Structures are given as C-alpha cells and as structure tokens.
Amino acid sequence: AKITGVIPHFFKTETVEAIYDECDELVFTEDMRERKKIMEDMADAFVVVPGGIGTLEELFEIITLKQLARHKKPIAFYNIYNYYEKLMEFLDYCEYEKFIREGCHNLYLATDNDDKLIEYIEDDTPFTLGLKDLK
C-alpha cells in the first residue's frame, strides 16, 4: 500500500514527535486544521489505532462529520489489546442516557480482528443512514 504522511510544519521544526520516514509521500501543512482537512479529503476509510488526545480529537471529528452526513466513509477502531474498550462502554452509556441516538453505533466498527477490519473497510455496501436517523 502507499503511505502518505500529512504533518504540520511545526512537527518537524519543533521536533514534536518522530516522523515516520518510510512514507511514500510527506505532505506538510500550516496547522492541524489543514492537516485534518487534507487527511479527510484523501482518505477512503479511517482506521483509528491506539493513541492519545490528538487521536481522540480527530476520531470524534470524523465520527461527527459522518453523523452529520458530510461523508459516508468507513470508520474503524482497531481495538488492539482492548485499548478502546472503556471508550466503547462510555459510548454505550451515552446512548443509555439518550445523549447519543441508537443508530450512531452504526457509524463505526470496533474490532481487534484483522480480517473483520479489512472486510469492513473493503465492503462497498453504501452507508444508508442519514442525518435524521443519527442526529
């Protein structure tokens, strides 16, 4: 597969974190907002691996955009070592408390199974839930 890294300039100039040097292409952006927009536009799907605050922020933005019918791309939590288990429990609780509509769990898949993850991403069944179903 081809890997494109999208990184704000300050990650390089301020040595925020290591830049994966085996990318086929590196795109440098002015800021995080531009980075997220480029990644959103370029992506066919979103696979969320264990990460920190920035990962969670990007994750919730992309789920929200799908909920608001701004895209229909697959979103998957790669739940390695049950990393996202507590988050899944919290989302269930939000649904129980009626802060999240029941259909919102259809916005994404959470799995630690490689085959299920790939099958979900490659499935070309259209996402049919609309804004009124999810918001």
Side-chain angles (χ1 to χ4, degrees), residues 44-61:
D44 295 321
F46 304 94
V47 177
V48 185
V49 298
I53 292 171
T55 301
L56 293 171
E57 188 271 334
E58 291 170 348
L59 159 71
F60 281 112
E61 180 170 339

Side-chain angles (χ1 to χ4, degrees), residues 9-116:
H9 283 289
F10 73 88
F11 269 48
K12 184 176 182 179
T13 59
E14 298 177 26
T15 318
V16 174
E17 61 184 45
I19 296 172
Y20 185 66
D21 60 1
E22 294 191 34
C23 292
D24 297 295
E25 178 184 5
L26 277 174
V27 176
F28 287 96
T29 64
E30 291 302 313
D31 55 33
M32 294 297 282
R33 285 187 181 99
E34 182 184 9
R35 174 181 185 264
K36 289 190 302 183
K37 180 66 176 147
I38 289 172
M39 290 191 310
E40 177 190 335
D41 292 344
M42 292 179 74
D44 295 321
F46 304 94
V47 177
V48 185
V49 298
I53 292 171
T55 301
L56 293 171
E57 188 271 334
E58 291 170 348
L59 159 71
F60 281 112
E61 180 170 339
I62 210 66
I63 289 175
T64 300
L65 290 171
K66 189 170 181 179
Q67 178 188 28
L68 296 173
R70 302 298 95 190
H71 76 84
K72 295 183 178 204
K73 299 173 184 180
I75 302 169
F77 290 84
Y78 193 23
N79 196 20
I80 303 166
Y81 301 114
N82 291 318
Y83 184 83
Y84 286 111
E85 203 62 34
K86 295 292 184 190
L87 180 58
M88 295 299 111
E89 289 175 17
F90 177 68
L91 293 173
D92 288 342
Y93 177 72
C94 291
E95 180 184 315
Y96 172 79
E97 291 292 333
K98 308 280 190 242
F99 286 101
I100 296 176
R101 290 190 67 175
E102 188 174 329
C104 287
H105 289 291
N106 295 312
L107 293 167
Y108 55 83
L109 170 77
T111 186
D112 65 350
N113 182 294
D114 301 348
D115 294 330
K116 282 185 182 178

